[in-house]
Amino acid sequence: MQIEFVDFVAGARNAQGLVVVIDVFRAFTTACYCLDAGAEKIIAVGDSEQALNYRYQLNQCVLLGERFGRKLPGFDFGNSPSEIAGQSLQGKTVIHTTHAGTQGLVNAVGADEVLTGAFVNARATANYILAREPERVTLVRMGLNADTRSDEDWFYADYLAAILNGDAVDDATVYQKLKASPFSARFFDETQPWSPAADFECCLAFNTFDFVLKARRLDDQACELLRV
């Protein structure tokens, strides 16, 4: 198995083989919590206006969206896993658009298969990949705002690659490094209430979920996330 590391939207666009689009803070952590809260379906959308339009196309629709970490106008929720953890989304279709993660999904046009990457289901994702035995795995680190290297996505890529290579990983060490990372500071900054401290804990709840999120393309700007 050949493992390649690429970054941002350009990396997603050129990614080959089985592709894992990584967004730990917070898109694909939030997506997992949505399914755990009972969501029937998640549609990941690149364009925020298209996401809004789904409200008029679908019944039982809930809109989650952010740009630069803040909830988008007209949306029901931002991109907060701790907020979603307290909701009942039973029977709802979640429309989810974010600054980084969903952009990677819709741009991974050359992939054989696309999965999401977050610590909350990392081992399930690794086990799925190992069972598939792909020749090539591409790990797409989306980073901060899809244009800046950020510790959480780089640490996750190394963590997943280690598991795939049969190497040991230490959840506690990763947790402590990320707690001290400047890329986690937003969660402990009272002037940024849209990034609550509880979100950090949700994002670092290693292997809480035993399912994988796989993207099925709907059109150029949308993918359905399937629980497998």
Side-chain angles (χ1 to χ4, degrees):
M1 181 188 303
Q2 177 185 347
I3 301 175
E4 182 178 1
F5 301 82
V6 300
D7 306 325
F8 314 135
V9 169
R13 195 172 292 130
N14 295 315
Q16 301 291 319
L18 191 155
V19 172
V20 182
V21 179
I22 303 164
D23 189 337
V24 172
F25 291 163
R26 297 166 283 175
F28 300 138
T29 299
T30 301
C32 287
Y33 278 88
C34 285
L35 287 180
D36 188 59
E40 183 175 297
K41 184 185 296 186
I42 300 174
I43 299 177
V45 185
D47 181 74
S48 60
E49 288 301 317
Q50 181 173 338
L52 273 172
N53 288 337
Y54 273 105
R55 188 185 294 281
Y56 309 106
Q57 301 171 23
L58 300 174
N59 295 323
Q60 299 293 304
C61 184
V62 176
L63 301 184
L64 277 69
E66 62 79 23
R67 292 296 184 269
F68 298 104
R70 302 193 190 203
K71 184 176 81 168
L72 284 165
F75 281 66
D76 300 297
F77 301 99
N79 188 36
S80 169
S82 65
E83 183 179 19
I84 293 301
Q87 303 295 323
S88 173
L89 299 179
Q90 199 69 38
K92 304 287 188 181
T93 295
V94 171
I95 310 302
H96 194 196
T97 184
T98 70
H99 207 123
T102 66
Q103 310 304 319
L105 292 181
V106 300
N107 278 284
V109 294
D112 297 330
E113 190 169 4
V114 180
L115 309 178
T116 67
F119 284 114
V120 291
N121 66 338
R123 284 199 177 272
T125 302
N127 290 338
Y128 178 90
I129 295 170
L130 291 169
R132 297 286 283 169
E133 298 183 338
E135 291 184 7
R136 185 174 187 178
V137 175
T138 304
L139 306 182
V140 184
R141 302 171 294 201
M142 292 306 298
L144 179 64
N145 300 326
D147 62 9
T148 302
R149 182 198 185 282
S150 59
D151 289 342
E152 71 282 0
D153 290 352
W154 266 247
F155 285 3
Y156 176 88
D158 292 343
Y159 182 97
L160 185 63
I163 298 174
L164 295 177
N165 286 323
D167 298 330
V169 293
D170 185 343
D171 297 354
T173 297
V174 175
Y175 178 95
Q176 291 302 328
K177 286 182 176 180
L178 279 174
K179 188 75 177 284
S181 168
F183 291 95
S184 303
R186 77 188 95 160
F187 298 111
F188 309 103
D189 182 350
E190 293 182 356
T191 69
Q192 299 187 56
W194 53 87
S195 295
D199 278 3
F200 177 83
E201 299 302 330
C202 286
C203 292
L204 273 293
F206 291 85
N207 306 305
T208 295
F209 304 114
D210 62 0
F211 55 80
V212 175
L213 292 183
K214 177 179 176 179
R216 180 177 70 87
R217 183 168 296 276
L218 299 176
D219 57 42
D220 289 345
Q221 281 294 317
C223 299
E224 181 180 355
L225 291 180
L226 305 172
R227 177 175 177 160
V228 296

